[in-house]
Amino acid sequence: MHELSIVSSIVDTVTESLAAYPGAKVKEVRLRVGALASVIEDSLQFCYGIATEDTPLAGSVLVVNILPVVMHCEPCGADVEIVSLQSFRCPKCGEPVLDMRQGRELEIESIEIDEVEEQV
Ligand SMILES: [Zn+2]
């Protein structure tokens, strides 16, 4: 499953960045995913539950932020948001647009952790 390998690499990245915070538990991981990144959020969530077992990420929440597709329209000289993924046309002038500025991202936006308080 494509999503499982994505989630595994997210878990690796987060685990590495936790090295500086011994004993910390992850509360939430936020992802930025472009609408054209060809991942299914339900699959991501499902795989996340499996891949985080027995890791510092166990029990944390995965938040998936879907980013709209943004193309640059030559005639308008502007970046426009593409609403329909069936036809890549500028919503303002109707011209076909090919110059993608956003839509295929797949990256970690933020990681929220709970630091374990030291008992005195
Ligand atoms: Zn246009």
Side-chain angles (χ1 to χ4, degrees):
M1 205 188 291
H2 168 64
E3 277 81 1
L4 190 54
S5 63
I6 295 170
V7 169
S8 305
S9 73
I10 293 166
V11 171
D12 287 349
T13 307
V14 174
T15 306
E16 273 171 37
S17 50
L18 278 183
Y21 307 93
K25 287 269 293 169
V26 177
K27 274 167 73 180
E28 186 182 278
V29 176
R30 284 181 176 269
L31 288 187
R32 289 156 51 85
V33 178
L36 292 178
S38 34
V39 290
I40 299 157
E41 185 180 347
D42 286 353
S43 300
L44 276 185
Q45 295 288 2
F46 178 74
C47 295
Y48 191 79
I50 297 167
T52 55
E53 265 180 36
D54 301 322
T55 74
L57 289 79
S60 64
V61 179
L62 180 69
V63 179
V64 180
N65 259 340
I66 304 288
L67 304 174
V69 177
V70 174
M71 301 279 214
H72 184 75
C73 176
E74 269 315 319
C76 292
D79 291 347
V80 292
E81 198 173 298
I82 304 301
V83 183
S84 162
L85 298 181
Q86 312 304 320
S87 68
F88 287 177
R89 284 179 182 280
C90 172
K92 288 179 187 153
C93 68
E95 288 295 316
V97 282
L98 295 166
D99 188 3
M100 191 182 298
R101 296 292 164 90
Q102 174 183 283
R104 293 194 195 277
E105 291 77 1
L106 210 167
E107 57 201 26
I108 297 171
E109 181 177 287
S110 65
I111 303 165
E112 198 179 316
I113 56 170
D114 244 352
E115 284 189 63
V116 177
E117 286 177 40
E118 282 180 51
Q119 303 281 322
V120 184

